[in-house]
Amino acid sequence: VCSSDLHYHKLITEYNVLVSGKMTMCGVELNAGDTFIVEPNEVADPVFLEDCTIVCVKTPSITDDKYLV
């Protein structure tokens, strides 16, 4: 089990597809093929239960819009 730093974005919306693996986001278990959206100011708390491959589209594309909690 591996977790990522808690963080949020002030302006970016993330559209994600879990291509492979198993994880939780905000307490919800996700499996390969699941999609999830992280809205601006929503805290992302991913926990990776297996090795995961995720496709993530961030809009708008801003490089410095990640804030650690």
Side-chain angles (χ1 to χ4, degrees):
V1 174
C2 177
S3 62
S4 181
D5 293 329
L6 294 175
H7 69 279
Y8 67 97
H9 305 281
K10 291 182 180 178
L11 302 172
I12 290 173
T13 299
E14 288 186 356
Y15 299 92
N16 300 274
V17 177
L18 181 58
V19 176
S20 65
K22 183 188 293 188
M23 65 181 286
T24 64
M25 176 66 81
C26 300
V28 176
E29 185 173 302
L30 301 165
N31 296 287
D34 288 341
T35 61
F36 59 100
I37 298 171
V38 182
E39 301 283 351
N41 298 307
E42 180 180 358
V43 175
D45 64 346
V47 176
F48 303 101
L49 305 174
E50 300 175 358
D51 288 339
C52 292
T53 300
I54 300 170
V55 173
C56 178
V57 175
K58 296 180 181 186
T59 183
S61 179
I62 301 171
T63 56
D64 295 329
D65 188 44
K66 182 176 183 178
Y67 302 90
L68 299 179
V69 175

